[in-house]
Amino acid sequence: MSYDSPGKKLWRYISPILLYYGVMLVVSFIGSFVITYQLAGSMASMDMEEFTQELILRSLEASVPIYLISGLAALPFLIHMFFKDMTYRKYVGDKAGLKKWTLVYCLLAGVFCSLAASLLAALSQAGQVFEGYENASQTIFSQSVLMQIVAAGVVMPIVEEYIFRGLMYNRMKDYMSANMAMIISSVIFGLYHGNLIQGVYGFVMGLLMIFVYEKYQTMLAPVLCHIGANMISIVLQFLNIQLDSVMVAVMAAAVCLVAAYLLLRLIQKQIHVGTVLNKRYIDAGLDSNTSYGNHTDDFTNNDSSRDRSASEGTYRKSGTGYSVDDYYPKTKDDNQE
């Protein structure tokens, strides 16, 4: 079997986010043209400095709508890439074994982790120390509540989950261990946020969302976790809740951290979604007797792995690690080797 070159590996890692940035560049260009056209009528009454300031102000006001439009435009392509990748996966999540109501654990975990992070950021006075964090928050929360909910609360979590977990993380697992892929993709997710405070938060949330993704074996898990985290931030900003007592803030953060920990323990113990042989992969003409090689378990113990008959498909416990041999079809020559 042939392995991808380093250049192709890198391209597979970064192409999802490059696609999104490419779409955003086009949307931003169109948005800038529209704003400039709207200001053209008032140019005669402004000097160049006033015109430039007004253009910058209008552009900042349009930044979140641009993110929203870019996300909506890029999402169909990202979903197509994700499902195309899935045709190269021998194993997919056993949705029949998933109790959908348990996905509420993911939502609540995102909520409590975000609450704890918000409280700790407020206690540390991060907004006063790190200007990038404060600017990013002001850009989002200066929008209407409806725009915040639709863009930051729903659309962007879905887009980012397909970029960083559905595509980038899964593709990294094609060439490295799941643990390494988890760390690297989470670091990139942190850097994507553009400032230190949100970067650390993004890294931790990236680890959390990969954990729930591996446990539930469905993209719904990290998407709901991400939506919960973003929505609670919007709600807190809208309610403008102020904790005057440092002791109360510390206790509230501690309660949120404990609640998040207990939820993750609950997920670890109760969620046992398995994986089944991908029928679309079999329909592509693969020999169902192909040897799947050795696999190491990076997330959970593999002591309960079991096989079903060929007619029922192959079953493996959720969390089992994968290697590149799982993801690409083998030729007959490869099988003979």
mmCIF file of all heavy atoms in Angstrom, residues 122-151:
data_model
loop_
_atom_site.group_PDB
_atom_site.id
_atom_site.type_symbol
_atom_site.label_atom_id
_atom_site.label_comp_id
_atom_site.label_asym_id
_atom_site.label_seq_id
_atom_site.Cartn_x
_atom_site.Cartn_y
_atom_site.Cartn_z
ATOM 1 N N ALA A 122 -12.425 36.550 34.665
ATOM 2 C CA ALA A 122 -12.830 37.768 35.365
ATOM 3 C C ALA A 122 -11.988 37.988 36.620
ATOM 4 O O ALA A 122 -11.568 39.113 36.918
ATOM 5 C CB ALA A 122 -14.311 37.688 35.728
ATOM 6 N N LEU A 123 -11.717 36.923 37.356
ATOM 7 C CA LEU A 123 -10.908 37.033 38.571
ATOM 8 C C LEU A 123 -9.478 37.441 38.267
ATOM 9 O O LEU A 123 -8.843 38.171 39.033
ATOM 10 C CB LEU A 123 -10.914 35.694 39.320
ATOM 11 C CG LEU A 123 -12.215 35.322 40.042
ATOM 12 C CD1 LEU A 123 -12.158 33.874 40.504
ATOM 13 C CD2 LEU A 123 -12.451 36.257 41.229
ATOM 14 N N SER A 124 -8.963 36.977 37.123
ATOM 15 C CA SER A 124 -7.574 37.284 36.765
ATOM 16 C C SER A 124 -7.409 38.639 36.102
ATOM 17 O O SER A 124 -6.286 39.055 35.821
ATOM 18 C CB SER A 124 -7.040 36.200 35.820
ATOM 19 O OG SER A 124 -7.744 36.221 34.590
ATOM 20 N N GLN A 125 -8.540 39.327 35.843
ATOM 21 C CA GLN A 125 -8.503 40.619 35.150
ATOM 22 C C GLN A 125 -7.810 40.498 33.787
ATOM 23 O O GLN A 125 -7.059 41.379 33.375
ATOM 24 C CB GLN A 125 -7.777 41.670 36.011
ATOM 25 C CG GLN A 125 -8.422 41.929 37.360
ATOM 26 C CD GLN A 125 -9.796 42.573 37.235
ATOM 27 O OE1 GLN A 125 -9.974 43.537 36.502
ATOM 28 N NE2 GLN A 125 -10.769 42.020 37.949
ATOM 29 N N ALA A 126 -8.092 39.398 33.093
ATOM 30 C CA ALA A 126 -7.423 39.127 31.817
ATOM 31 C C ALA A 126 -7.725 40.195 30.772
ATOM 32 O O ALA A 126 -6.883 40.528 29.951
ATOM 33 C CB ALA A 126 -7.846 37.758 31.286
ATOM 34 N N GLY A 127 -8.957 40.725 30.806
ATOM 35 C CA GLY A 127 -9.321 41.735 29.824
ATOM 36 C C GLY A 127 -8.471 42.984 29.914
ATOM 37 O O GLY A 127 -8.252 43.671 28.917
ATOM 38 N N GLN A 128 -7.975 43.310 31.117
ATOM 39 C CA GLN A 128 -7.142 44.490 31.298
ATOM 40 C C GLN A 128 -5.683 44.224 30.935
ATOM 41 O O GLN A 128 -4.953 45.143 30.587
ATOM 42 C CB GLN A 128 -7.241 44.982 32.746
ATOM 43 C CG GLN A 128 -8.653 45.375 33.162
ATOM 44 C CD GLN A 128 -8.723 45.839 34.609
ATOM 45 O OE1 GLN A 128 -7.701 46.076 35.250
ATOM 46 N NE2 GLN A 128 -9.940 45.945 35.140
ATOM 47 N N VAL A 129 -5.291 42.975 31.027
ATOM 48 C CA VAL A 129 -3.896 42.623 30.751
ATOM 49 C C VAL A 129 -3.683 42.303 29.283
ATOM 50 O O VAL A 129 -2.701 42.744 28.674
ATOM 51 C CB VAL A 129 -3.463 41.426 31.624
ATOM 52 C CG1 VAL A 129 -2.024 41.020 31.306
ATOM 53 C CG2 VAL A 129 -3.615 41.769 33.101
ATOM 54 N N PHE A 130 -4.602 41.553 28.699
ATOM 55 C CA PHE A 130 -4.453 41.112 27.317
ATOM 56 C C PHE A 130 -5.476 41.839 26.445
ATOM 57 O O PHE A 130 -6.671 41.541 26.476
ATOM 58 C CB PHE A 130 -4.645 39.593 27.211
ATOM 59 C CG PHE A 130 -3.625 38.822 28.004
ATOM 60 C CD1 PHE A 130 -3.935 38.351 29.275
ATOM 61 C CD2 PHE A 130 -2.366 38.585 27.493
ATOM 62 C CE1 PHE A 130 -2.999 37.640 30.012
ATOM 63 C CE2 PHE A 130 -1.424 37.882 28.224
ATOM 64 C CZ PHE A 130 -1.740 37.413 29.487
ATOM 65 N N GLU A 131 -4.988 42.783 25.658
ATOM 66 C CA GLU A 131 -5.861 43.624 24.852
ATOM 67 C C GLU A 131 -6.596 42.815 23.784
ATOM 68 O O GLU A 131 -7.746 43.088 23.463
ATOM 69 C CB GLU A 131 -5.032 44.730 24.185
ATOM 70 C CG GLU A 131 -5.872 45.730 23.408
ATOM 71 C CD GLU A 131 -5.029 46.856 22.842
ATOM 72 O OE1 GLU A 131 -3.831 46.927 23.181
ATOM 73 O OE2 GLU A 131 -5.568 47.645 22.052
ATOM 74 N N GLY A 132 -5.937 41.793 23.231
ATOM 75 C CA GLY A 132 -6.562 40.988 22.179
ATOM 76 C C GLY A 132 -7.807 40.290 22.663
ATOM 77 O O GLY A 132 -8.802 40.190 21.937
ATOM 78 N N TYR A 133 -7.771 39.814 23.922
ATOM 79 C CA TYR A 133 -8.937 39.138 24.500
ATOM 80 C C TYR A 133 -10.094 40.110 24.642
ATOM 81 O O TYR A 133 -11.242 39.790 24.302
ATOM 82 C CB TYR A 133 -8.552 38.560 25.863
ATOM 83 C CG TYR A 133 -9.713 38.028 26.659
ATOM 84 C CD1 TYR A 133 -10.318 36.824 26.323
ATOM 85 C CD2 TYR A 133 -10.208 38.740 27.755
ATOM 86 C CE1 TYR A 133 -11.394 36.329 27.055
ATOM 87 C CE2 TYR A 133 -11.277 38.259 28.495
ATOM 88 C CZ TYR A 133 -11.858 37.057 28.146
ATOM 89 O OH TYR A 133 -12.915 36.580 28.871
ATOM 90 N N GLU A 134 -9.825 41.305 25.123
ATOM 91 C CA GLU A 134 -10.877 42.302 25.312
ATOM 92 C C GLU A 134 -11.455 42.742 23.972
ATOM 93 O O GLU A 134 -12.676 42.885 23.819
ATOM 94 C CB GLU A 134 -10.307 43.517 26.057
ATOM 95 C CG GLU A 134 -11.340 44.571 26.413
ATOM 96 C CD GLU A 134 -12.345 44.076 27.436
ATOM 97 O OE1 GLU A 134 -12.059 43.102 28.145
ATOM 98 O OE2 GLU A 134 -13.439 44.690 27.512
ATOM 99 N N ASN A 135 -10.588 42.952 22.967
ATOM 100 C CA ASN A 135 -11.064 43.376 21.647
ATOM 101 C C ASN A 135 -11.946 42.313 21.005
ATOM 102 O O ASN A 135 -12.971 42.627 20.389
ATOM 103 C CB ASN A 135 -9.873 43.691 20.730
ATOM 104 C CG ASN A 135 -9.120 44.926 21.169
ATOM 105 O OD1 ASN A 135 -9.661 45.765 21.895
ATOM 106 N ND2 ASN A 135 -7.873 45.053 20.736
ATOM 107 N N ALA A 136 -11.536 41.053 21.138
ATOM 108 C CA ALA A 136 -12.327 39.957 20.553
ATOM 109 C C ALA A 136 -13.702 39.881 21.219
ATOM 110 O O ALA A 136 -14.721 39.688 20.545
ATOM 111 C CB ALA A 136 -11.592 38.634 20.710
ATOM 112 N N SER A 137 -13.733 40.047 22.539
ATOM 113 C CA SER A 137 -15.010 39.996 23.262
ATOM 114 C C SER A 137 -15.912 41.150 22.860
ATOM 115 O O SER A 137 -17.119 40.967 22.637
ATOM 116 C CB SER A 137 -14.758 40.029 24.775
ATOM 117 O OG SER A 137 -13.987 38.923 25.189
ATOM 118 N N GLN A 138 -15.342 42.349 22.744
ATOM 119 C CA GLN A 138 -16.138 43.513 22.373
ATOM 120 C C GLN A 138 -16.697 43.383 20.969
ATOM 121 O O GLN A 138 -17.829 43.788 20.697
ATOM 122 C CB GLN A 138 -15.288 44.785 22.493
ATOM 123 C CG GLN A 138 -14.987 45.186 23.924
ATOM 124 C CD GLN A 138 -14.121 46.424 24.015
ATOM 125 O OE1 GLN A 138 -13.654 46.964 23.009
ATOM 126 N NE2 GLN A 138 -13.891 46.891 25.234
ATOM 127 N N THR A 139 -15.921 42.801 20.056
ATOM 128 C CA THR A 139 -16.382 42.634 18.677
ATOM 129 C C THR A 139 -17.615 41.744 18.626
ATOM 130 O O THR A 139 -18.585 42.036 17.917
ATOM 131 C CB THR A 139 -15.271 42.025 17.807
ATOM 132 O OG1 THR A 139 -14.140 42.902 17.802
ATOM 133 C CG2 THR A 139 -15.755 41.813 16.378
ATOM 134 N N ILE A 140 -17.602 40.657 19.385
ATOM 135 C CA ILE A 140 -18.727 39.722 19.379
ATOM 136 C C ILE A 140 -19.930 40.297 20.114
ATOM 137 O O ILE A 140 -21.053 40.303 19.605
ATOM 138 C CB ILE A 140 -18.310 38.382 20.019
ATOM 139 C CG1 ILE A 140 -17.236 37.703 19.173
ATOM 140 C CG2 ILE A 140 -19.522 37.459 20.176
ATOM 141 C CD1 ILE A 140 -16.647 36.473 19.818
ATOM 142 N N PHE A 141 -19.696 40.823 21.334
ATOM 143 C CA PHE A 141 -20.808 41.228 22.177
ATOM 144 C C PHE A 141 -21.365 42.604 21.828
ATOM 145 O O PHE A 141 -22.351 43.041 22.426
ATOM 146 C CB PHE A 141 -20.386 41.188 23.646
ATOM 147 C CG PHE A 141 -20.065 39.796 24.133
ATOM 148 C CD1 PHE A 141 -18.855 39.528 24.766
ATOM 149 C CD2 PHE A 141 -20.953 38.765 23.938
ATOM 150 C CE1 PHE A 141 -18.552 38.252 25.205
ATOM 151 C CE2 PHE A 141 -20.663 37.476 24.368
ATOM 152 C CZ PHE A 141 -19.464 37.221 25.000
ATOM 153 N N SER A 142 -20.759 43.304 20.861
ATOM 154 C CA SER A 142 -21.313 44.567 20.394
ATOM 155 C C SER A 142 -22.441 44.357 19.393
ATOM 156 O O SER A 142 -23.157 45.296 19.052
ATOM 157 C CB SER A 142 -20.210 45.428 19.755
ATOM 158 O OG SER A 142 -19.686 44.780 18.605
ATOM 159 N N GLN A 143 -22.597 43.122 18.917
ATOM 160 C CA GLN A 143 -23.664 42.799 17.977
ATOM 161 C C GLN A 143 -24.995 42.638 18.703
ATOM 162 O O GLN A 143 -25.052 42.544 19.926
ATOM 163 C CB GLN A 143 -23.324 41.506 17.229
ATOM 164 C CG GLN A 143 -21.982 41.513 16.535
ATOM 165 C CD GLN A 143 -21.940 42.482 15.364
ATOM 166 O OE1 GLN A 143 -22.887 42.564 14.579
ATOM 167 N NE2 GLN A 143 -20.851 43.205 15.228
ATOM 168 N N SER A 144 -26.067 42.593 17.922
ATOM 169 C CA SER A 144 -27.382 42.327 18.509
ATOM 170 C C SER A 144 -27.394 40.926 19.109
ATOM 171 O O SER A 144 -26.628 40.056 18.687
ATOM 172 C CB SER A 144 -28.476 42.450 17.449
ATOM 173 O OG SER A 144 -28.356 41.412 16.485
ATOM 174 N N VAL A 145 -28.278 40.702 20.076
ATOM 175 C CA VAL A 145 -28.349 39.397 20.732
ATOM 176 C C VAL A 145 -28.676 38.307 19.717
ATOM 177 O O VAL A 145 -28.115 37.203 19.760
ATOM 178 C CB VAL A 145 -29.394 39.415 21.867
ATOM 179 C CG1 VAL A 145 -29.551 38.022 22.477
ATOM 180 C CG2 VAL A 145 -29.000 40.415 22.944
ATOM 181 N N LEU A 146 -29.593 38.612 18.791
ATOM 182 C CA LEU A 146 -29.963 37.622 17.772
ATOM 183 C C LEU A 146 -28.759 37.242 16.921
ATOM 184 O O LEU A 146 -28.537 36.053 16.634
ATOM 185 C CB LEU A 146 -31.088 38.170 16.890
ATOM 186 C CG LEU A 146 -31.554 37.236 15.764
ATOM 187 C CD1 LEU A 146 -32.099 35.935 16.345
ATOM 188 C CD2 LEU A 146 -32.618 37.932 14.904
ATOM 189 N N MET A 147 -27.959 38.236 16.512
ATOM 190 C CA MET A 147 -26.774 37.956 15.710
ATOM 191 C C MET A 147 -25.767 37.132 16.508
ATOM 192 O O MET A 147 -25.137 36.205 15.969
ATOM 193 C CB MET A 147 -26.131 39.263 15.249
ATOM 194 C CG MET A 147 -24.856 39.084 14.417
ATOM 195 S SD MET A 147 -25.112 38.114 12.915
ATOM 196 C CE MET A 147 -26.130 39.256 11.966
ATOM 197 N N GLN A 148 -25.611 37.435 17.793
ATOM 198 C CA GLN A 148 -24.700 36.667 18.631
ATOM 199 C C GLN A 148 -25.136 35.209 18.724
ATOM 200 O O GLN A 148 -24.321 34.292 18.603
ATOM 201 C CB GLN A 148 -24.651 37.267 20.038
ATOM 202 C CG GLN A 148 -23.997 38.636 20.136
ATOM 203 C CD GLN A 148 -24.034 39.175 21.549
ATOM 204 O OE1 GLN A 148 -23.746 38.465 22.502
ATOM 205 N NE2 GLN A 148 -24.398 40.437 21.700
ATOM 206 N N ILE A 149 -26.446 35.001 18.920
ATOM 207 C CA ILE A 149 -26.956 33.632 19.073
ATOM 208 C C ILE A 149 -26.770 32.841 17.785
ATOM 209 O O ILE A 149 -26.281 31.703 17.806
ATOM 210 C CB ILE A 149 -28.440 33.657 19.482
ATOM 211 C CG1 ILE A 149 -28.581 34.197 20.913
ATOM 212 C CG2 ILE A 149 -29.069 32.271 19.378
ATOM 213 C CD1 ILE A 149 -30.012 34.409 21.347
ATOM 214 N N VAL A 150 -27.148 33.439 16.652
ATOM 215 C CA VAL A 150 -27.082 32.728 15.385
ATOM 216 C C VAL A 150 -25.639 32.483 14.966
ATOM 217 O O VAL A 150 -25.263 31.365 14.584
ATOM 218 C CB VAL A 150 -27.843 33.502 14.282
ATOM 219 C CG1 VAL A 150 -27.647 32.826 12.925
ATOM 220 C CG2 VAL A 150 -29.324 33.590 14.622
ATOM 221 N N ALA A 151 -24.810 33.531 15.037
ATOM 222 C CA ALA A 151 -23.433 33.426 14.545
ATOM 223 C C ALA A 151 -22.528 32.703 15.536
ATOM 224 O O ALA A 151 -21.997 31.628 15.242
ATOM 225 C CB ALA A 151 -22.884 34.816 14.248
#
